[in-house]
Amino acid sequence: MNRNQLEVFLNVARTKKISSAAKLLHLTQPAVSTQIKALENYFQTPLFIRSKKGVELTEAGQVVQNYAKKILQNFDSMEQEVDYILGVENQKLTIGATETVGNYAIPCSIWTFRDKYPNAQISLKVGSLSEIVRDLEEGKIDLAVMETVTGVDTKEFNLKDASSDEIIVIRPKDDKYKHLENIFFEQLKEYPFILPAYGFGIRESLEFALEQGGLKEIDLNVISELGSLEAIKSSVKAGYALSICSKMAVQKELHDGDLVEVRLVDLVMPITFKVVYPESNFLSTIAHRFLRFIATPDELTLCE
């Protein structure tokens, strides 16, 4: 039995659905089921009653839920006392991030992390992929979160998954695009298109998707390549073209109706954000703490 199993168990107990817990934790349903099965094997009894509607705690499961909460609370308290002895709160931490994750997710995650370490001196540098990789190599940042690891020397640096997102096609709300709701991937070449500049992880995701669909970038009706997500969003809003974006980067615009998602019938473009960091012995204690925090799937979140 380990902490991760207890955290998965509590999420399943709270959501009452394996699928909901899996989505929240950015895990596959089989991975969640495996963790629950491991706990049930440990206690030699079922912890959930399964049904078509979801899951309910058994009597034994209710006991495990009560103690799991206490165990994790005690673990956090223990860590906080050790951190106090080590003076972690007074340490400095410099985080690097590429534009998508750096502008839309990391800032709020840092504030959440600072709730535990209010006196920690944390700074964030947002830059292009090449800038962040260079700063990692030169030791100017402690670790980085990015949507692509192109150019990263994986022999020198370690990688961990931080969270996942989806690359979506976006269109203006203009009437002339109103008919675009659900289309096939190949139909993208029929419309003016704005490409993200090289260095964006979403550009790599699109290239891979095009390859899977038997297309190339040259097949698209590209009218511009832009190096800023805000510039891309503004251009699409103005009605110039379609484009792609990380879904987390356009949550507000989709909610407000300023942009509209075009659903691809035959393709999903997932993207996984990566934490890149040097060997553990080169990390400070505060960097270790943040690494574990940010690599917890539900900790890379958007600001409300």
Side-chain angles (χ1 to χ4, degrees), residues 93-120:
L93 174 63
T94 304
I95 304 161
T98 46
E99 186 173 354
T100 300
V101 67
N103 287 328
Y104 299 99
I106 281 287
C108 289
S109 297
I110 289 175
W111 284 112
T112 303
F113 182 73
R114 287 199 63 173
D115 287 342
K116 293 182 67 175
Y117 303 98
N119 296 321

Side-chain angles (χ1 to χ4, degrees), residues 13-81:
R14 178 162 58 87
T15 61
K16 297 185 178 182
K17 286 187 177 181
I18 298 288
S19 58
S20 297
K23 185 176 180 179
L24 184 66
L25 296 167
H26 303 288
L27 298 172
T28 63
Q29 291 187 43
V32 171
S33 297
T34 297
Q35 298 283 36
I36 297 302
K37 187 64 177 176
L39 267 184
E40 291 180 328
N41 287 339
Y42 179 87
F43 290 109
Q44 287 296 294
T45 187
L47 301 178
F48 292 101
I49 299 171
R50 278 83 168 170
S51 71
K52 291 182 179 179
K53 294 182 179 180
V55 296
E56 292 286 343
L57 288 168
T58 62
E59 186 176 356
Q62 292 173 8
V63 172
V64 173
Q65 182 187 41
N66 291 335
Y67 278 95
K69 290 178 180 178
K70 295 175 184 177
I71 289 169
L72 293 182
Q73 287 170 358
N74 286 335
F75 190 96
D76 288 341
S77 296
M78 174 183 66
E79 185 174 273
Q80 287 172 9
E81 289 195 32

Side-chain angles (χ1 to χ4, degrees), residues 8 54 74 79 104 107 172 176 183 195 203 206 243 253 281 300:
V8 171
N74 286 335
E79 185 174 273
Y104 299 99
K176 68 178 180 179
I183 66 172
L195 276 178
R203 173 80 175 245
L206 178 63
S243 190
E253 289 83 0
N281 56 316
L300 189 57

Side-chain angles (χ1 to χ4, degrees), residues 108-165:
C108 289
S109 297
I110 289 175
W111 284 112
T112 303
F113 182 73
R114 287 199 63 173
D115 287 342
K116 293 182 67 175
Y117 303 98
N119 296 321
Q121 302 174 55
I122 303 174
S123 57
L124 171 66
K125 176 177 181 179
V126 179
S128 67
L129 175 64
S130 59
E131 289 174 333
I132 298 304
V133 171
R134 184 182 65 244
D135 286 350
L136 267 174
E137 293 172 342
E138 295 177 358
K140 293 180 179 178
I141 55 179
D142 297 299
L143 50 82
V145 187
M146 52 185 68
E147 66 264 31
T148 177
V149 292
T150 300
V152 175
D153 185 350
T154 53
K155 293 181 180 179
E156 184 177 354
F157 295 98
N158 297 307
L159 308 177
K160 271 191 179 181
D161 290 350
S163 185
S164 60
D165 193 21

